[in-house]
Amino acid sequence: MSEILTSPSRKANGTLVVNRVLVSAHAVAIIGQPVFAGGYLGGDYDMLWLHRWGADAVSYLAYAQIIAALVLWLTRGPRWLFWISLLLAAGETAQYLAGMAGALDLHIPLGVALVTGAILTTIAVWRPQTWRTRR
């Protein structure tokens, strides 16, 4: 059985702060990607370099977010953030590979879905949480 707590443990609370920062940074980085791509498509060819650099930054933040979400889960935090982080990282890996292959028919709609997912995750992680203890 599990019992509902009104506040997280001290360790989980500190881990939640780290997760909120990482999720927010990840969202900002992924929102920048269409801006860089749009600049490139508008004729500023240096923006393609920024788009690729941004893709690296988004990937690194996604992997850090997975690790932080796993630590949060292990400190009696919510499980959903780990699974969503894993799903986003998998999608971003596919996105990265599609972009490198020039498969814009997959790259663009997947990018829209990933930006939406990152924004919704950011909103969810900043909402008050219901914490559960494991017995």
Side-chain angles (χ1 to χ4, degrees):
M1 286 303 222
S2 63
E3 136 189 357
I4 297 177
L5 299 174
T6 56
S7 63
S9 68
R10 181 172 298 224
K11 190 183 290 187
N13 196 27
T15 308
L16 179 62
V17 171
V18 170
N19 274 275
R20 285 177 171 169
V21 168
L22 278 172
V23 168
S24 299
H26 186 208
V28 168
I30 204 167
I31 289 169
Q33 286 299 93
V35 174
F36 299 147
Y40 170 71
L41 293 174
D44 185 355
Y45 298 110
D46 290 335
M47 292 298 255
L48 183 60
W49 178 84
L50 284 174
H51 186 65
R52 185 169 181 186
W53 180 85
D56 290 337
V58 167
S59 295
Y60 297 141
L61 286 166
Y63 301 141
Q65 183 177 320
I66 290 171
I67 293 168
L70 180 60
V71 171
L72 180 63
W73 180 8
L74 295 174
T75 58
R76 299 180 356 179
R79 290 185 285 248
W80 67 266
L81 184 57
F82 171 76
W83 295 111
I84 293 296
S85 299
L86 195 62
L87 182 64
L88 283 172
E92 288 167 8
T93 301
Q95 171 78 345
Y96 193 96
L97 295 173
M100 295 301 289
L104 296 181
D105 54 339
L106 173 62
H107 188 72
I108 292 171
L110 184 55
V112 171
L114 290 169
V115 169
T116 303
I119 290 169
L120 291 175
T121 303
T122 303
I123 292 167
V125 82
W126 281 97
R127 295 185 70 189
Q129 303 291 321
T130 301
W131 297 80
R132 296 185 182 274
T133 60
R134 283 188 267 165
R135 289 190 174 232

